[in-house]
């Protein structure tokens, strides 16, 4: 079976989730209850969440002991980068955030010294605790103390930190303030280690010394074979960058990614542009993977790595932001959607359209700690009266994010 035929089969099997579709019925399988060891029923539903991904929903119920369990597994592709979510839980409203957690994700609560490792069974047997309580009172007392502490955290009687680390990149914690920045939630994308790839059952791409202009890959949308073209480009008044463009003949998807051709600069760069004319939308723009995008008038901030590296125009960047926040937001539809949330995100999209049309007076800020981002100066070589470029010394935290604090560049010859 070819890749295209395989994708057609997947499209027929994984249908968009729809409560009114009578044909979309779950498959029922008789299975063993891990609570009472009698036979129960597992219902499997293969479906697709719009603007999100393909998933497998499994729901188990036992008629003998009434034990139930529901799990969601991602049936889609593994993302290019892993993701780390760190949530500071301070109020009961934080407990209402919606979470997507894949099997490959680990969950930690540092305040309890508690961790659920990746690829482990969710839940435990009550009999194990009961038997240890009878034979080891000291351990039972510690368990009881842990349970009471856990109950306090559940009621948010004290603040705590929830950390979800998913090398597959398929987990998600809701930002209820979207499109505004969530001060309690930190999202970090990272490159997987060889150990991560081994656990996920994938092989890391081998690094090659000789760069090739074209190499084979798979389309990130339909997974069909595609070609990626790579070219070294000199940006006037800036530096060399590597542009990698992928075109898919099967579904028509096109994407490009930009990597800096040079090293991390000694100073970070902050570029602030005051939009005064619709012609500003045609300015060339290079956003590196380490660059954040801010629009103060909208109280909006897009963190580094959210859109990856891009070489586009200012209009293209704003459209990508709208697409990410509004069109591809998994909580804009279905049971996860609320009228208030949808209205807020729709209003944000309308404001982005007004900015593109030149109907809003705003500032666009590109903040790149690595100093590898660029915004075209249309007055070059003269200064741009509407653009301010600032060089700044990175903080310890920014150097930590860039992996520079542990990098030794001097003293290799010393003995």
């Amino acid at each position: 079976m070819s890749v295209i035929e395989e994708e057609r089969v997947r499209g027929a099997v994984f249908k968009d989730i729809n409560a009114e579709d009578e044909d979309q019925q779950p498959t029922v399988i008789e299975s063993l209850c891990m609570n009472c060891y009698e036979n129960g029923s597992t219902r499997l539903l293969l479906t697709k969440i719009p603007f999100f991904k393909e998933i497998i929903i499994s729901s188990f119920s036992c008629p003998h002991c009434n034990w139930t369990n529901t799990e969601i597994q991602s049936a889609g592709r593994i993302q290019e980068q892993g993701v780390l979510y760190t949530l500071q839980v301070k109020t009961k409203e934080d407990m209402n955030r919606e979470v997507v957690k894949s099997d490959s994700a680990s969950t930690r609560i540092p305040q309890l010294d508690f961790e659920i490792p990746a690829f482990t069974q969710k839940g435990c047997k009550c009999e194990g605790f009961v038997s240890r309580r009878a034979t080891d009172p000291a351990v039972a007392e510690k368990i009881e103390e842990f349970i009471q502490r856990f109950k306090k955290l559940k009621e948010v009687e004290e603040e705590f930190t929830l950390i979800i680390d998913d090398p597959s990149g398929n987990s998600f914690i809701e930002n209820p303030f979207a499109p505004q920045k969530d001060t309690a939630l930190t999202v970090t994308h990272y490159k997987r280690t060889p150990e991560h790839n081994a656990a996920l059952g994938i092989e890391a791409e081998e690094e090659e010394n000789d760069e090739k202009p074209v190499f084979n890959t798979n389309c990130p949308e339909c997974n069909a074979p595609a070609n990626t073209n790579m070219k070294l480009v000199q940006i006037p008044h800036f530096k060399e960058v590597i542009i990698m463009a992928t075109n898919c003949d099967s579904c028509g998807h096109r994407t490009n990614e930009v990597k800096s051709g040079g090293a991390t600069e000694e100073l970070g760069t902050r570029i602030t542009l005051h939009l005064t004319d619709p012609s500003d939308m045609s300015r060339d723009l290079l956003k590196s993977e380490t660059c954040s995008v801010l629009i103060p008038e909208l109280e909006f901030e897009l963190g580094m790595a959210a859109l990856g590296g891009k070489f586009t125009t200012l209009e293209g960047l704003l459209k990508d932001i709208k697409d990410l926040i509004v069109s591809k937001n998994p909580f804009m539809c279905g049971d996860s959607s609320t009228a208030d949330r949808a209205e807020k995100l729709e209003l944000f999209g309308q404001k982005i359209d007004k900015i593109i049309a030149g109907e809003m007076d705003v500032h666009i800020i590109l903040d790149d700690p690595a100093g590898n981002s660029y915004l075209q100066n249309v007055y070059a070589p003269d200064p741009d009266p509407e653009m301010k470029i600032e060089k700044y010394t990175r903080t310890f935290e920014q150097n930590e994010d860039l992996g520079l604090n542990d990098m030794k560049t001097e003293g290799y010859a010393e003995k």
Side-chain angles (χ1 to χ4, degrees):
M1 180 183 295
S2 68
V3 175
I4 297 177
E5 291 174 338
E6 181 180 345
E7 289 303 314
R8 289 174 180 171
V9 172
R10 290 175 65 87
V13 174
F14 291 89
K15 298 181 179 179
D16 288 346
I17 191 167
N18 187 350
E20 299 178 356
D21 188 356
E22 296 181 356
D23 296 331
Q24 193 177 29
Q25 298 296 327
T27 302
V28 182
I29 304 173
E30 185 178 4
S31 50
L32 181 68
C33 175
M34 299 307 297
N35 188 52
C36 68
Y37 298 104
E38 296 288 343
N39 283 339
S41 299
T42 296
R43 289 173 170 80
L44 295 175
L45 180 64
L46 282 63
T47 187
K48 182 165 59 177
I49 299 177
F51 308 112
F52 192 44
K53 61 186 66 176
E54 297 164 340
I55 61 171
I56 301 174
I57 303 175
S58 63
S59 176
F60 175 83
S61 61
C62 177
H64 303 282
C65 66
N66 296 321
W67 187 69
T68 61
N69 183 41
T70 301
E71 295 182 13
I72 297 178
Q73 295 180 338
S74 172
R77 60 188 292 272
I78 295 175
Q79 304 304 309
E80 294 183 1
Q81 291 183 312
V83 64
L84 176 68
Y85 289 92
T86 304
L87 174 65
Q88 304 296 332
V89 180
K90 301 179 180 180
T91 65
K92 285 192 175 182
E93 284 73 18
D94 288 327
M95 302 296 290
N96 295 328
R97 293 173 183 254
E98 299 187 26
V99 176
V100 176
K101 177 188 174 298
S102 74
D103 287 346
S104 59
S106 63
T107 304
R108 290 188 291 125
I109 302 178
Q111 288 79 0
L112 293 180
D113 195 20
F114 171 77
E115 178 176 1
I116 301 177
F119 304 107
T120 57
Q121 185 178 5
K122 303 170 183 65
C124 59
K125 289 173 58 180
C126 296
E127 290 81 1
F129 286 159
V130 173
S131 61
R132 291 198 67 172
R133 188 180 186 88
T135 58
D136 194 340
V139 174
E141 182 179 352
K142 291 182 179 180
I143 292 175
E144 183 63 27
E145 180 183 345
F146 173 84
I147 293 175
Q148 295 303 319
R149 182 96 185 274
F150 196 88
K151 288 180 178 179
K152 289 184 178 180
L153 294 188
K154 186 177 179 182
E155 296 299 322
V156 199
E157 294 182 14
E158 58 181 278
E159 297 181 4
F160 67 95
T161 304
L162 175 66
I163 301 174
I164 296 181
D165 188 351
D166 187 0
S168 76
N170 285 326
S171 293
F172 187 85
I173 295 182
E174 176 195 11
N175 171 10
F177 308 102
Q180 276 75 40
K181 181 180 180 181
D182 189 342
T183 56
L185 181 64
T186 303
V187 184
T188 305
H189 297 267
Y190 60 86
K191 184 178 180 181
R192 282 186 292 270
T193 65
E195 291 76 16
H196 287 147
N197 288 326
L200 294 172
I202 60 177
E203 295 182 0
E205 296 181 358
E206 296 183 359
E207 295 183 358
E208 300 181 0
N209 293 327
D210 298 329
E211 294 183 352
K212 298 180 180 179
V214 180
F215 57 91
N216 298 326
T217 184
N218 289 80
C219 173
E221 287 294 322
C222 70
N223 205 36
N227 292 327
T228 295
N229 300 290
M230 183 167 59
K231 186 176 182 179
L232 189 65
V233 177
Q234 174 67 48
I235 298 180
H237 310 290
F238 191 52
K239 61 175 68 174
E240 289 183 338
V241 297
I242 301 171
I243 300 179
M244 295 181 289
T246 302
N247 299 324
C248 179
D249 295 332
S250 298
C251 69
H253 178 74
R254 303 177 64 183
T255 183
N256 68 75
E257 186 177 0
V258 178
K259 302 285 187 182
S260 173
T264 300
E265 298 292 324
E266 293 185 5
L267 298 174
T269 301
R270 183 181 296 106
I271 305 172
T272 303
L273 175 66
H274 181 203
L275 301 183
T276 58
D277 191 270
S279 62
D280 287 328
M281 293 296 108
S282 62
R283 290 177 184 248
D284 289 332
L285 178 147
L286 170 65
K287 176 196 171 298
S288 77
E289 291 181 327
T290 58
C291 180
S292 300
V293 181
L294 298 90
I295 308 177
E297 289 80 2
L298 301 187
E299 297 182 356
F300 173 77
E301 178 176 350
L302 182 74
M304 62 174 62
L307 284 174
K310 282 188 172 293
F311 184 43
T312 180
T313 62
L314 187 54
E315 180 180 2
L317 177 66
L318 290 173
K319 287 183 176 179
D320 286 339
I321 290 175
K322 178 185 175 182
D323 193 36
L324 177 69
I325 301 299
V326 181
S327 302
K328 293 184 177 180
N329 193 318
F331 296 107
M332 273 289 285
C333 58
D335 295 337
S336 300
S337 177
T338 63
D340 181 63
R341 179 188 301 157
E343 182 180 355
K344 184 191 299 183
L345 294 178
E346 187 66 28
L347 179 61
F348 175 81
Q350 294 173 4
K351 290 182 178 179
I352 292 293
D353 290 337
K354 288 184 177 180
I355 294 175
I356 294 175
E359 298 174 1
M360 283 190 69
D361 185 10
V362 298
H363 295 76
I364 302 291
I365 301 175
L366 304 180
D367 192 344
D368 188 355
N372 287 325
S373 293
Y374 161 86
L375 184 59
Q376 181 186 11
N377 173 7
V378 293
Y379 296 90
D382 297 326
D384 189 329
E386 303 299 338
M387 186 165 66
K388 180 172 67 173
I389 301 178
E390 303 170 84
K391 298 290 184 178
Y392 63 87
T393 302
R394 286 183 290 269
T395 63
F396 179 88
E397 289 75 15
Q398 288 173 326
N399 281 328
E400 188 72 16
D401 291 338
L402 296 174
L404 299 177
N405 289 333
D406 297 327
M407 187 180 295
K408 184 177 180 182
T409 60
E410 300 177 351
Y412 283 104
E414 298 178 2
K415 295 183 179 180

